[in-house]
Amino acid sequence: MGFKWTDILYYTIHMNEFKSIAQWYTWHDPVHERDETKEDPSLQICFKFLVQTSRSFSAVIQELHPELLVPVALFYLVLRGLDTIEDDMTIPLEKKDALLRNFHNILEKDGWNFDGNGPNEKDRELLVQFPNVIIEIKKIKPVYRAIIKDITEKMGNGMADYANNAEHNANGVNTIEDYNMYCHYVAGLVGQGLTKLFVESKLANPVLLERVHLQESMGLFLQKTNIIRDVREDFEDKRRFWPKEIWSKYVDEFEDLFKPENIDVAMNCSSEMVLNAMTHADECMFYLAGLKEQSVFNFAAIPQAMAIATLEVVFRNPKVFRRNVKITKGQACQIMIDSTQNHQILCEVFRKFAKKIHRKNTPKDPNFLKISIACGKIEQFIESLYPTQDSKAIAQLQSTQTGTEKSPIDKVKAKEAKQDTIFLFVAVIGSLLFLTGIMIWIAYIFGARFDVAIAELMRGKLGRGSPVEAKEAIRRYDHGEL
């Protein structure tokens, strides 16, 4: 966990966020831990690439249930390899088309690798050493391998279609329907594949397989949030994912969104993009209720909680059009602490950020009413799952007040309070030790004789002596310095 000087200054002011970082790294106990000693060299190389290609996803993947750990890691690397080919504009279109459409069959070819990526493609080494992925793919259960191959084929064909779409390449996404279809190919299919892996491993409710729209929303919510956040970076790379059907309501040309004089209409445009993404929030919470195993729940819940928090950060934020805007490390740690408790507390995370978006909403925005309704819909959905004023809640509240029983949220708060106390105690003791060390070092630099002090203490001299005793001490220890 590296910190810059700017981080230190920031967290000096925002101590609550620093506390969240300390709590996460101190108290977080993974549900499962990966055992590297039992891994073959090829699998260790795969996990090395997993960490290199995505630090955020690699952390939650490596805490997954052992049944899913390797299949999900390999699924991620296969799709990352596919994406590396699709993103590389130095590969000729004809060659790229063939690679994308045939990538699912490549998973069966021993020793296959690809070194045709441009030198600046950051994940090109993954494809150079792809034989390690193929070796491990062949070791997993056939049913998992079939799921990965199926999703890879669908995604590869979708990517190839977009690569061959001249209008998309020249002008970006046109309609909202096109926007949803693009997000389906690059993210919705991932949600479908993961759901099949979860259910096949018996770690999720099989009913989720019948709710394809819920699987789709899990992927689209994340992808749409990333597209909104990365609009400046994509614009500089000459990529346009915001649909023309939305931005053309506010400006004549897409690049006009980035002109300072158009900042008001640009924020209204971004508000409609946020509104479009928020329509998936309630379905994401519904989906997450079907995950039975804690590590699988954590794996799926953390990115969704980060997404709703990111939407709140980018909403009505003019900085989005100047640079990439992200939540802070401290905010991320607090979100991870909250979203990995249980489904009810995760829903409270969604409620909290929906309320923040609602507070930032302004009547000057033409989307004001629709955004207010979307925020209300999220709160209404949570209320339908966990009513705050039903008879059980009141009875539980009364029993809590009399000390007979604590609710799950109260138990979590009590645990956090205990952790806070320990943290503050350690912080105070640490500060005192640090200051004491500094003072002793300064005294030593200016010639303090600690050997004299220690020797006198050993002789039982605890107080201030008389002038005669002081002269005797000087005579006893004088080496020319006293």
Side-chain angles (χ1 to χ4, degrees), residues 322-361:
R322 298 196 294 269
R323 59 179 175 82
N324 190 286
V325 177
K326 296 182 179 181
I327 56 178
T328 66
K329 204 175 282 186
Q331 291 170 332
C333 287
Q334 186 59 51
I335 290 167
M336 289 190 290
I337 291 170
D338 293 337
S339 60
T340 54
Q341 303 292 331
N342 55 53
H343 188 261
Q344 184 175 357
I345 296 177
L346 170 71
C347 287
E348 289 302 318
V349 174
F350 272 78
R351 192 203 298 267
K352 178 178 73 174
F353 288 107
K355 285 183 175 180
K356 286 186 175 183
I357 291 173
H358 190 250
R359 284 197 293 269
K360 290 169 71 175
N361 200 14

Side-chain angles (χ1 to χ4, degrees), residues 392-409:
K392 289 183 179 180
I394 293 171
Q396 190 176 52
L397 177 62
Q398 290 173 343
S399 64
T400 301
Q401 289 172 341
T402 58
T404 58
E405 183 182 354
K406 287 187 177 181
S407 69
I409 294 178

Side-chain angles (χ1 to χ4, degrees), residues 289-313:
L291 302 179
K292 299 186 290 186
E293 201 271 336
Q294 186 66 45
S295 71
V296 174
F297 176 81
N298 293 353
F299 169 76
I302 289 175
Q304 302 298 329
M306 295 289 188
I308 188 67
T310 301
L311 284 182
E312 187 274 323
V313 170

Side-chain angles (χ1 to χ4, degrees), residues 86 101 157-166 168-169 173 177-183 185:
E86 191 263 344
R101 295 191 190 280
N157 283 321
M159 287 179 169
D161 289 343
Y162 274 97
N164 285 288
N165 188 328
H168 172 78
N169 294 332
V173 176
E177 184 180 355
D178 293 338
Y179 180 51
N180 288 332
M181 184 57 67
Y182 173 80
C183 292
Y185 279 121

Side-chain angles (χ1 to χ4, degrees), residues 82-222:
L82 192 67
D83 189 58
T84 302
I85 292 172
E86 191 263 344
D87 276 349
D88 193 344
M89 304 310 293
T90 67
I91 302 174
L93 183 57
E94 185 177 348
K95 185 176 183 180
K96 178 184 288 188
D97 181 86
L99 284 168
L100 292 174
R101 295 191 190 280
N102 195 48
F103 203 78
H104 62 289
N105 290 322
I106 285 169
L107 303 180
E108 304 285 347
K109 293 183 179 180
D110 292 332
W112 182 92
N113 74 338
F114 181 70
D115 61 358
N117 283 109
N120 297 323
E121 193 65 35
K122 64 183 180 69
D123 295 325
R124 73 182 309 277
E125 190 61 24
L126 169 63
L127 290 172
V128 172
Q129 298 196 40
F130 206 73
N132 295 290
V133 178
I134 296 173
I135 290 171
E136 294 302 322
I137 282 277
K138 292 190 172 185
K139 293 179 183 178
I140 62 177
K141 292 180 180 179
V143 64
Y144 295 153
R145 189 162 62 247
I147 292 169
I148 294 173
K149 190 173 179 180
D150 175 59
I151 297 299
T152 303
E153 181 179 10
K154 291 176 179 176
M155 186 177 290
N157 283 321
M159 287 179 169
D161 289 343
Y162 274 97
N164 285 288
N165 188 328
E167 182 182 357
H168 172 78
N169 294 332
N171 302 314
V173 176
N174 191 25
T175 66
I176 294 175
E177 184 180 355
D178 293 338
Y179 180 51
N180 288 332
M181 184 57 67
Y182 173 80
C183 292
H184 162 75
Y185 279 121
V186 299
L189 286 172
V190 180
Q192 292 182 22
L194 287 172
T195 302
K196 291 177 181 178
L197 291 173
F198 296 160
V199 173
E200 191 61 44
S201 64
K202 297 180 173 55
L203 299 176
N205 192 325
V207 176
L208 289 177
L209 288 178
E210 303 169 11
R211 310 287 178 86
V212 179
H213 62 288
L214 299 183
Q215 306 169 26
E216 191 80 1
S217 283
M218 288 287 286
L220 266 61
F221 189 56
L222 298 182

Side-chain angles (χ1 to χ4, degrees), residues 28-45:
H28 174 62
D29 187 20
V31 183
H32 305 284
E33 292 192 51
R34 170 185 160 219
D35 187 355
E36 298 181 41
T37 62
K38 296 181 180 179
E39 296 173 355
D40 292 334
S42 55
L43 185 56
Q44 291 180 351
I45 291 173

